[in-house]
Amino acid sequence: MGGRRGRPLVIDCDPGHDDAVALLLAVGSPEVDLRAVTTTFGNCSVEDATRNALQVLTLAGVLDVPVAKGAAGSLDGGSTLGNYVHGVSGLDGPPMPEPAFEVESVGAVELLRRVIESSDEPVTVAATGPITNVARLLLDFPEVKSGIREVIFMGGSTERGNHTPTAEFNTYADPEALDVVLRSGLTVRMVGLNLTHQALATPAVVDRMAGMNHVVGQTCAAWMGFFGASYNRVWEFAAPPVHDPCTIAALIDPAVIDWREAFVAVELGGSWTRGTTVVDLHHRYAEQRPNTQVAMTLDADRYWNLVIDAVDRVGRRA
Ligand code: BDR
Ligand code: CA
């Protein structure tokens, strides 16, 4: 990058195997400048997610990105967990190093506020878990909006769900939080299951990870093994969809995803559909203005080249 720094970025996440790959993609890509990692409940408890984030960054040899612990549950006090996919620790599979640095003494919302307010240019917020921390930030400190370039989140779908028949896990886990973000007036991009199910870690992809001559690549391959077994057991997928790095890939290479502008809402009630995203791709709600850029098509080869190259860069320098 010849001394130029990438776009300022914070990642709010619940690692989680695919969140972990998203972190590696970010720290291995000069197009983005990761300024903070904040954690949330989701794939596991927030305590486990925080330890996992510290361990992933330690594995990557990145000890100078602050990590802060966030929400233990949703805005309405619930706590839906995804250990049935990611294992007891939230990141089961290969052994991980002990964290080589400590969590921040301030919480996630305060760290996000500080990073955004001290940045010389607007900060991109990528959310790859339940979006509770981001909603709490916008509710408690609405003045930070002018310092946010956009919110790009993994969640929802233009189609069906995974946690329930219609709701994706992250949006099911805190629909009220997503509602706050969708109504915020910020630039919002949604990367839902309709997109991430195009990001399959096929055996050829996993072989490329396993073939790297370093522990970072081999750890990624082993994560895919655990994650893939869960996806096969729960949803009968032949290869796991690696959802969360799609958000980061979109920031690194705009050509990796095609988008459509649409009105998006999230179901807060519903006898069976709570947490479902309603994506009005065909303008059926004529009175509703589009509020979201919706990810539609992934260039999967381009995506995996970005991920593999970043993981290899991280592993060679760690
Ligand atoms: C989302 O839920 C979690 O299992 C993944 O980390 C991803 O963020 C997919 O529905
Ligand atoms: Ca996640």
Side-chain angles (χ1 to χ4, degrees):
M1 289 290 283
R4 271 176 61 86
R5 299 178 80 189
R7 71 150 85 180
L9 170 68
V10 294
I11 299 181
D12 184 62
C13 59
D14 60 339
H17 299 83
D18 54 332
D19 304 79
V21 178
L23 291 173
L24 295 181
L25 176 58
V27 299
S29 301
E31 295 84 355
V32 294
D33 177 16
L34 185 61
R35 303 257 177 110
V37 172
T38 51
T39 60
T40 175
F41 79 100
N43 290 327
C44 50
S45 71
V46 70
E47 284 76 20
D48 287 344
T50 306
R51 183 205 56 233
N52 295 344
L54 293 167
Q55 288 183 307
V56 171
L57 292 173
T58 299
L59 174 75
V62 175
L63 310 183
D64 57 353
V65 173
V67 174
K69 185 168 81 169
S74 58
L75 291 184
D76 77 354
S79 185
T80 304
L81 298 182
N83 295 95
Y84 67 98
V85 180
H86 298 269
V88 174
S89 71
L91 192 57
D92 276 13
M96 291 292 289
E98 283 303 308
F101 65 113
E102 298 209 340
V103 67
E104 295 290 299
S105 56
V106 297
V109 171
E110 177 60 12
L111 180 62
L112 290 170
R113 186 187 73 76
R114 290 183 187 182
V115 168
I116 292 165
E117 290 195 339
S118 65
S119 177
D120 43 355
E121 56 179 299
V123 175
T124 294
V125 177
T128 63
I131 204 160
T132 317
N133 293 328
V134 180
R136 183 53 71 201
L137 174 74
L138 299 177
L139 290 169
D140 291 353
F141 303 103
E143 67 277 11
V144 300
K145 283 185 192 174
S146 61
I148 296 177
R149 176 166 168 177
E150 63 173 323
V151 177
I152 185 165
F153 73 94
M154 190 281 134
S157 183
T158 62
E159 308 291 335
R160 295 280 171 152
N162 57 5
H163 188 66
T164 73
T166 64
E168 183 277 331
F169 176 80
N170 291 336
T171 58
Y172 180 88
D174 198 345
E176 280 75 17
L178 180 60
D179 188 54
V180 168
V181 173
L182 291 171
R183 292 174 186 274
S184 67
L186 289 166
T187 299
V188 176
R189 288 202 273 174
M190 170 179 139
V191 179
L193 295 177
N194 60 293
L195 188 285
T196 64
H197 284 182
Q198 301 166 49
L200 300 172
T202 61
V205 167
V206 179
D207 281 351
R208 288 170 75 186
M209 294 171 172
M212 293 177 196
N213 195 22
H214 47 69
V215 68
V216 178
Q218 282 150 25
T219 300
C220 279
W223 285 337
M224 294 304 100
F226 187 93
F227 197 45
S230 294
Y231 259 84
N232 187 263
R233 186 185 71 253
V234 180
W235 292 284
E236 300 177 7
F237 273 53
V242 185
H243 313 274
D244 294 336
C246 295
T247 59
I248 310 302
L251 307 175
I252 296 167
D253 177 5
V256 82
I257 292 175
D258 284 336
W259 304 86
R260 293 254 306 266
E261 192 174 55
F263 169 69
V264 176
V266 59
E267 181 61 78
L268 303 179
S271 304
W272 298 95
T273 55
R274 181 170 158 78
T276 298
T277 47
V278 175
V279 182
D280 189 12
L281 291 175
H282 301 289
H283 312 292
R284 304 315 303 152
Y285 294 124
E287 72 284 7
Q288 298 293 346
R289 300 228 323 261
N291 59 353
T292 305
Q293 295 288 331
V294 180
M296 299 301 294
T297 311
L298 178 77
D299 183 334
D301 288 342
R302 209 168 170 121
Y303 171 70
W304 283 115
N305 285 339
L306 283 183
V307 172
I308 297 285
D309 288 352
V311 168
D312 199 31
R313 266 195 298 275
V314 172
R316 285 170 188 273
R317 76 180 183 214

